[in-house]
Amino acid sequence: MVTHPDPVVLYPDVATRGSLGAALQAAAERGGFSVPVTASTSDPLGYATVESTLPHRRALLVSSSAIKRRWSIRGEESFQGMALIEGGTEDLAQVARAAQAWHEGVALSDIRQAAPFVHLTGRFEVPDHDPVRLTESEWQHMRTEASTLERPWDAYHALVEAAYAEPALRGLYPFTSHWVLRFSTTTRPNLSIVGPCLLADDVDQYTVSATFTGSVVIAHATTAQEAVAAAVRELPSGLGPVTSGALLAENRRELSS
């Protein structure tokens, strides 16, 4: 059984304050500013949240590592619950800077300038939840993520770029399941999966399958471009622009009522 260090031992200064929220507020005050922090009631040393003045941002989650002295943040957009910023640091003052910027509605790129440990996921904010823009944002995230991966993920990066270069796929909402590239005609939170699955096995081995497990193979390919072309041939005709997954859920509720 894995045992973790006592949080009081890892974070004696936080324990003295009584909660991560109080320690974060104190760090902000030392920096000459203030942050409205809410401490977790179930795990006060482990978690805290900071609300944003922007309605399309969820509260920033600040968490303490259970293994070593380190704090992580995650800031999500409110419609799909997808991360806009993430990051980890051993400097609580930097966390306070990021929390202040998130709360005040500072642009994502400027949050990173205020607190360099912040990682931008590639997604951009879509306040009106326009599904086409959300699709563009998700593609940008996927390309950003793939570009940061090191070997042996070169084939996956090539697959994402090849799919993005194909208009028929770029117009669909992309997502992954166990690193298998898939597509939907609706955004989250309710996906309408369409077309085959694309898997990068190696730099010269790609699989186009009817299932994300790869058990029903449609085609094998030696390049990402060949795999994408095979996937496009399997798409149903008449696909229109991506629509909202929230509207899909609403329509399903109406039909079932």
Side-chain angles (χ1 to χ4, degrees):
M1 180 177 179
V2 177
T3 59
H4 298 303
D6 186 337
V8 175
V9 175
L10 278 180
Y11 305 100
D13 49 340
V14 176
T16 299
R17 296 281 181 180
S19 70
L20 175 56
L24 192 56
Q25 286 176 325
E29 291 170 2
R30 287 194 296 270
F33 57 95
S34 63
V35 178
V37 187
T38 301
S40 168
T41 56
S42 60
D43 187 357
L45 299 186
Y47 297 94
T49 56
V50 178
E51 295 288 343
S52 175
T53 56
L54 298 179
H56 55 270
R57 289 182 182 178
R58 288 185 177 177
L60 182 75
L61 176 64
V62 183
S63 58
S64 305
S65 170
I67 301 173
K68 62 180 180 179
R69 183 180 171 87
R70 184 177 177 84
W71 294 278
S72 299
I73 65 166
R74 179 180 172 92
E76 300 175 347
E77 47 84 28
S78 62
F79 183 63
Q80 302 178 112
M82 306 303 290
L84 298 170
I85 63 171
E86 297 173 321
T89 179
E90 299 174 1
D91 187 351
L92 193 58
Q94 284 286 301
V95 175
R97 290 287 182 189
Q100 178 198 27
W102 180 264
H103 168 70
E104 294 182 351
V106 171
L108 299 178
S109 58
D110 291 337
I111 295 177
R112 178 171 171 76
Q113 289 186 358
F117 80 94
V118 171
H119 167 70
L120 304 181
T121 65
R123 296 185 181 96
F124 51 82
E125 296 181 281
V126 186
D128 63 355
H129 307 154
D130 176 69
V132 173
R133 291 283 288 161
L134 287 172
T135 298
E136 294 172 0
S137 173
E138 202 60 24
W139 271 114
Q140 182 168 295
H141 157 69
M142 192 163 288
R143 297 178 71 203
T144 299
E145 179 184 54
S147 69
T148 62
L149 298 174
E150 300 178 354
R151 289 181 179 274
W153 294 97
D154 295 1
Y156 174 76
H157 184 198
L159 184 62
V160 169
E161 289 298 325
Y164 180 76
E166 170 52 58
L169 297 182
R170 188 170 63 245
L172 298 173
Y173 186 91
F175 69 102
T176 57
S177 178
H178 297 80
W179 296 102
V180 176
L181 183 57
R182 309 181 74 182
F183 308 94
S184 172
T185 57
T186 57
T187 66
R188 290 180 176 92
N190 292 281
L191 300 173
S192 297
I193 300 172
V194 66
C197 307
L198 292 169
L199 175 63
D201 301 302
D202 207 337
V203 290
D204 57 356
Q205 296 178 6
Y206 298 87
T207 301
V208 183
S209 175
T211 63
F212 80 92
T213 61
S215 59
V216 183
V217 175
I218 295 172
H220 290 294
T222 57
T223 69
Q225 290 76 15
E226 290 174 359
V228 165
V232 170
R233 289 194 292 270
E234 297 296 320
L235 290 177
S237 60
L239 294 178
V242 170
T243 57
S244 171
L247 292 177
L248 174 65
E250 183 177 334
N251 291 337
R252 285 175 175 171
R253 284 194 297 269
E254 291 178 353
L255 290 173
S256 61
S257 62

